[in-house]
Amino acid sequence: MARKTECCRLNGLEISLIVLFLLMTAVSVGLITVLALKLDSEKRNSELFTWFNYKKNTALDPPENLYLIGVGRADCTGPVADLPMMGYANTEQTVRGIHTRLFSRAFIVDDGSKRVVFITADIGMVSQRLRLEVLQELKAKYGDLYRQDNVVMSGTHTHAGVGGYFQYTLFMITSKGYIKPSIQAIVSGIVKSIDLAHRNLRPGRIFINKGQLVDSNLNRSPHSYMNNPEEERNRYEFNTDKQIVIMKFTDLDGDGMGLLSWFAVHPVSMNNTNRMVSSDNLGYASYGFEQEKNIGFLPGEGPFVAGFSSSNLGDSSPNILGPVCVNTGEKCDYLNSSCPIGGKKECLAFGPGEDMFESTRMIGENMYKKAKELYSSAKQELHGPVYGAHQWVNMTDETVPLNSTHTGRTCKPALGHSFAAGTTDGGGEFNFMQGDTNGDPFWDGIRDAVLGPPSNETTACHRPKPILFSTGEMNSPLPWHPAIVDVQIITIGSLAIVAELEVKESFANAEVVVAGLCNIYTHYITTYEEYQIQRYEGASTIFGPHTLSAYIQRYRGLAKAIAHGTIKELPKGPEPPFFDEDKLFNQVKDPVADVAPADTVFGDILEQVNPVYKVVNKTFVTVERFHNDTDSWEIVHTDASWETRFHWIKGLAGRSQSKVEWHIPLTAQTGTYRIQHFGHYKQIMDNNTITTPYVGTSDAFKVTKSFYYY
């Protein structure tokens, strides 16, 4: 028998009571919220009062294990369509979507009189131009609070970020110039992360811990490594650094505020066929740690900040299955990483997953799990003052003692032939090979005709490197490589970032962290012995065979200045150039006007979802779930989520398409879902460019544990 349902009417009294009930509920919720905020504010103000009371009362010094700590995170993704990616130096590898969003994470530590800032950003590297622009913004906002000497900016070295933030010709060529929208997004993201950390400053404590992670990196140039002295190699168990170091930040109640970690692995799990912005394996480690700590928050949101940073990752690959000839399955040639058939292009390293997405997750998950273990067991507490020391150095003209009678010197920048060979993580073009110490008359002839030959002085200085590009002698339209570089150390108690501090007793057992891709990008720094082999890393050591010795000499000077309290006496050094924007070229064309396919408008769905999906490992799904009790849609995933992938598919004559994927996790709740895509399209009307937003919404569909019941 069919049941008839009728809607009931409410009289005026009932309506009044309902309205009154809703008003009282809203007021109660508001009061509770205000009270909670007030209590939290009072707690924080009490903490800050205690801190500043220590500072004001000269008879009472701050406890040596108490710091003022701030953490912050902000989006720095930028444009994600048709712009060059930075990492593999392939101008054809342009961005066409989002795998994961990119973030800048900032950590501020203040000892009561001095403070230092460490930023780790999901970008290829920090360029000199990017650093200078960020410091300009910080100067305008904070005066002299955040400066060259106390701010360190590090890039994770993901090869799946957007380029366009350099001011030297070589880097502008490989990323199609200086792209204002790209660098603006990174600058604003870094500055915003510092703003958030600055606003969130509160008293807290810092712990450090370290351990070994043996299954997540592989030396991609073992032949070079074996040329190091045997007595040095005997000091280490492995031929690449397996140590992971973490810093644990807590408030005075012991509640976690953040984590900062360093591990030596290249974020190249996403290979050179990838066309989506991705934070790669280090980004996944941050994502996993933050998702566990920030329960109930979407990715990129929540108070806990976990930064996984680059370290001494130069020859350290995540492709732990090693290189093989993809066309035959044979092992690659040990000396030059090439194959009998197909040469170096067929020699590629893989692993550990079935594809680059799974490999990214697996390596990132290894780091995240090890960091979680170290975070939970961290007991060594940092105490003591913080310091920052910085100098500008002309790295083309440094003299270093080799022994009691001989000296060496650095060179004007130059790249060797093996630079063009690439690595087993991504091979170069043409017939260039790793390990080349002879050069090639054919390519040298082309170089001489187009760019001019290297000088005899530069050739001799870089020997045994056969010079492909003498970039230090190339200045059109701007210098091709930097000459002035940063050297910088920050210390937090007994933790030294980049330096060896052995001068003062308090630094006798210092934990030293090499933070990679910081402040300026100058390719690689090999040992003198590895330089002789001239694989990719040696050929990319642009200041010559004594580069490492020159850096060590400079860092030793900074370390002594910190230990002896003579930082203010350090010479500032020659400042680098800051070229006017009108001198920086841009090869990226403005996008053409967008055109909708025939019989459609922007926002139309071209291919609908299926009506029902079963939860499996891989399939397409939406990002919003319907709640019957509130009659509303809840966002469960964004483009920052690991499970989602946004593809921008460039079509002809402005007819592009977008595709959204969600790879449903086994933990997905059953229910009704939908896809929503937000975008903009450009039109030219009356010689004016008009950009209009649009929204595409799929039909509602169900996600269920079984096709037989939902």
Side-chain angles (χ1 to χ4, degrees):
M1 181 178 68
R3 177 176 295 174
K4 183 178 180 181
T5 303
E6 294 184 354
C7 180
C8 301
R9 293 189 177 185
L10 298 174
N11 60 37
L13 177 61
E14 290 171 325
I15 292 174
S16 299
L17 288 172
I18 290 173
V19 171
L20 180 61
F21 173 76
L22 292 174
L23 285 172
M24 290 301 294
T25 301
V27 170
S28 300
V29 171
L31 288 172
I32 292 169
T33 303
V34 170
L35 180 61
L37 291 172
K38 183 174 184 297
L39 290 172
D40 181 69
S41 176
E42 287 176 351
K43 176 189 174 186
R44 187 165 182 271
N45 288 339
S46 174
E47 290 174 339
L48 292 175
F49 175 78
T50 302
W51 171 265
F52 290 116
N53 211 27
Y54 277 122
K55 290 181 67 177
K56 283 174 59 181
N57 190 345
T58 55
L60 199 61
D61 293 327
E64 61 180 1
N65 62 338
L66 183 66
Y67 295 105
L68 201 59
I69 300 167
V71 299
R73 174 189 52 248
D75 191 290
C76 63
T77 306
V80 294
D82 235 15
L83 294 184
M85 303 179 87
M86 187 64 207
Y88 290 108
N90 178 2
T91 56
E92 300 303 312
Q93 189 188 14
T94 52
V95 179
R96 295 193 175 178
I98 294 177
H99 175 224
T100 57
R101 296 196 74 85
L102 310 179
F103 293 97
S104 170
R105 295 172 172 89
F107 300 82
I108 301 176
V109 179
D110 189 309
D111 67 1
S113 61
K114 302 176 297 301
R115 69 177 51 179
V116 292
V117 186
F118 187 88
I119 297 105
T120 177
D122 294 327
I123 57 176
M125 61 284 289
V126 174
S127 73
Q128 188 176 83
R129 181 72 184 205
L130 175 61
R131 176 169 168 81
L132 293 174
E133 291 199 20
V134 167
L135 288 170
Q136 281 184 353
E137 292 291 318
L138 292 175
K139 173 93 173 163
K141 280 194 169 192
Y142 297 103
D144 292 329
L145 184 59
Y146 299 115
R147 313 172 303 274
Q148 289 280 6
D149 62 303
N150 69 350
V151 176
V152 178
M153 303 178 203
S154 176
T156 61
H157 205 38
T158 174
H159 284 40
V162 181
Y165 50 92
F166 293 82
Q167 67 171 7
Y168 293 100
T169 300
L170 180 74
F171 304 131
M172 285 197 286
I173 288 174
T174 56
S175 58
K176 296 186 179 179
Y178 175 84
I179 304 169
K180 195 66 177 176
S182 176
I183 193 169
Q184 281 179 329
I186 302 171
V187 170
S188 63
I190 291 174
V191 172
K192 185 177 179 181
S193 68
I194 295 173
D195 289 341
L196 292 170
H198 179 88
R199 293 203 296 266
N200 292 332
L201 280 166
R202 64 177 61 193
R205 301 166 70 181
I206 305 173
F207 302 84
I208 62 170
N209 204 357
K210 60 185 178 181
Q212 277 196 341
L213 186 58
V214 298
D215 57 353
S216 297
N217 61 359
L218 177 83
N219 192 319
R220 70 185 184 193
S221 287
H223 176 52
S224 295
Y225 179 80
M226 289 302 295
N227 206 45
N228 289 305
E230 184 178 4
E231 61 270 21
E232 179 183 329
R233 289 186 281 111
N234 288 341
R235 294 167 55 192
Y236 306 104
E237 183 180 357
F238 304 99
N239 65 1
T240 193
D241 191 356
K242 304 288 186 179
Q243 179 174 273
I244 181 170
V245 179
I246 68 106
M247 295 178 71
K248 175 182 179 178
F249 302 90
T250 75
D251 63 17
L252 294 184
D253 293 329
D255 295 329
M257 297 172 62
L259 165 129
L260 184 54
S261 172
W262 290 271
F263 181 64
V265 66
H266 246 83
V268 290
S269 293
M270 300 294 290
N271 62 42
N272 59 7
T273 67
N274 170 53
R275 304 294 287 271
M276 292 185 290
V277 162
S278 174
S279 56
D280 211 282
N281 47 49
L282 284 173
Y284 183 87
S286 293
Y287 169 86
F289 211 109
E290 289 180 347
Q291 285 295 97
E292 179 168 320
K293 291 292 184 180
N294 295 320
I295 303 240
F297 288 92
L298 291 169
E301 300 178 4
F304 192 95
V305 177
F308 283 74
S309 309
S310 61
S311 182
N312 49 319
L313 52 71
D315 56 8
S316 181
S317 171
N319 295 313
I320 59 175
L321 297 184
V324 296
C325 297
V326 294
N327 53 352
T328 65
E330 300 175 81
K331 288 186 176 181
C332 302
D333 182 272
Y334 177 75
L335 298 181
N336 55 34
S337 299
S338 65
C339 298
I341 302 173
K344 67 178 182 302
K345 294 291 284 186
E346 297 297 327
C347 176
L348 292 173
F350 292 95
E354 292 184 0
D355 59 27
M356 60 182 170
F357 299 101
E358 187 179 14
S359 291
T360 299
R361 179 190 60 77
M362 292 173 72
I363 297 295
E365 197 168 72
N366 289 346
M367 289 187 282
Y368 149 58
K369 287 182 176 178
K370 188 63 181 180
K372 178 182 174 182
E373 172 192 321
L374 295 172
Y375 181 92
S376 300
S377 60
K379 291 184 175 60
Q380 181 184 348
E381 186 167 3
L382 293 179
H383 54 82
V386 303
Y387 294 103
H390 174 276
Q391 280 184 307
W392 296 111
V393 177
N394 182 353
M395 194 51 70
T396 69
D397 191 26
E398 285 282 286
T399 300
V400 294
L402 302 179
N403 51 45
S404 59
T405 58
H406 292 77
T407 60
R409 70 179 186 88
T410 54
C411 317
K412 290 182 179 180
L415 290 164
H417 277 246
S418 294
F419 160 76
T423 72
T424 55
D425 291 329
E429 299 296 332
F430 307 112
N431 62 337
F432 295 100
M433 301 290 286
Q434 292 199 69
D436 185 354
T437 57
N438 297 313
D440 186 307
F442 173 77
W443 293 112
D444 288 348
I446 293 177
R447 174 205 62 204
D448 294 351
V450 177
L451 302 171
S455 67
N456 291 336
E457 179 186 13
T458 298
T459 299
C461 188
H462 279 270
R463 197 168 285 127
K465 176 196 290 178
I467 293 175
L468 180 62
F469 299 124
S470 184
T471 52
E473 298 174 316
M474 297 159 61
N475 295 292
S476 179
L478 290 168
W480 279 50
H481 264 146
I484 311 300
V485 306
D486 292 79
V487 290
Q488 184 176 17
I489 296 173
I490 62 173
T491 66
I492 302 169
S494 59
L495 176 71
I497 298 178
V498 178
E500 294 184 45
L501 298 179
E502 298 175 350
V503 181
K504 209 173 180 182
E505 184 180 347
S506 59
F507 294 130
N509 297 310
E511 183 63 48
V512 180
V513 171
V514 177
L517 290 306
C518 287
N519 299 345
I520 183 171
Y521 183 61
T522 58
H523 298 272
Y524 283 71
I525 303 172
T526 60
T527 65
Y528 176 86
E529 292 81 7
E530 293 194 32
Y531 185 91
Q532 308 306 308
I533 302 300
Q534 280 299 295
R535 283 178 62 85
Y536 176 83
E537 294 82 10
S540 303
T541 300
I542 63 173
F543 297 117
H546 301 296
T547 300
L548 177 60
S549 297
Y551 275 113
I552 290 174
Q553 178 175 268
R554 284 290 180 167
Y555 282 122
R556 186 173 287 124
L558 296 182
K560 288 181 179 179
I562 290 175
H564 291 303
T566 57
I567 295 174
K568 292 182 179 179
E569 299 173 20
L570 284 170
K572 184 179 179 181
E575 291 198 25
F578 185 84
F579 300 118
D580 293 336
E581 280 190 28
D582 57 8
K583 294 182 179 179
L584 306 175
F585 60 84
N586 183 350
Q587 297 173 319
V588 177
K589 297 179 181 178
D590 288 335
V592 299
D594 294 303
V595 179
D599 302 321
T600 65
V601 296
F602 289 99
D604 280 358
I605 303 299
L606 299 180
E607 182 179 350
Q608 272 295 355
V609 295
N610 295 329
V612 179
Y613 284 87
K614 179 180 179 291
V615 177
V616 292
N617 287 331
K618 293 182 179 180
T619 193
F620 299 143
V621 72
T622 188
V623 295
E624 296 182 9
R625 182 172 179 265
F626 187 73
H627 282 267
N628 291 316
D629 52 347
T630 60
D631 197 30
S632 63
W633 293 93
E634 175 199 14
I635 297 175
V636 294
H637 288 280
T638 67
D639 58 8
S641 300
W642 171 260
E643 295 85 355
T644 61
R645 298 175 194 171
F646 168 68
H647 302 269
W648 179 73
I649 304 165
K650 186 176 182 180
L652 298 174
R655 289 180 171 84
S656 61
Q657 297 180 11
S658 299
K659 183 172 77 170
V660 178
E661 302 175 16
W662 181 27
H663 293 250
I664 307 176
L666 294 173
T667 55
Q669 298 182 38
T670 59
T672 301
Y673 290 81
R674 71 179 182 185
I675 294 171
Q676 282 218 104
H677 165 58
F678 302 89
H680 291 78
Y681 63 92
K682 185 175 84 170
Q683 292 179 307
I684 307 297
M685 295 183 179
D686 300 325
N687 294 322
N688 294 319
T689 300
I690 299 173
T691 303
T692 308
Y694 68 86
V695 179
T697 306
S698 76
D699 290 344
F701 59 94
K702 293 185 181 295
V703 171
T704 179
K705 299 294 182 182
S706 169
F707 279 122
Y708 301 104
Y709 177 79
Y710 59 89

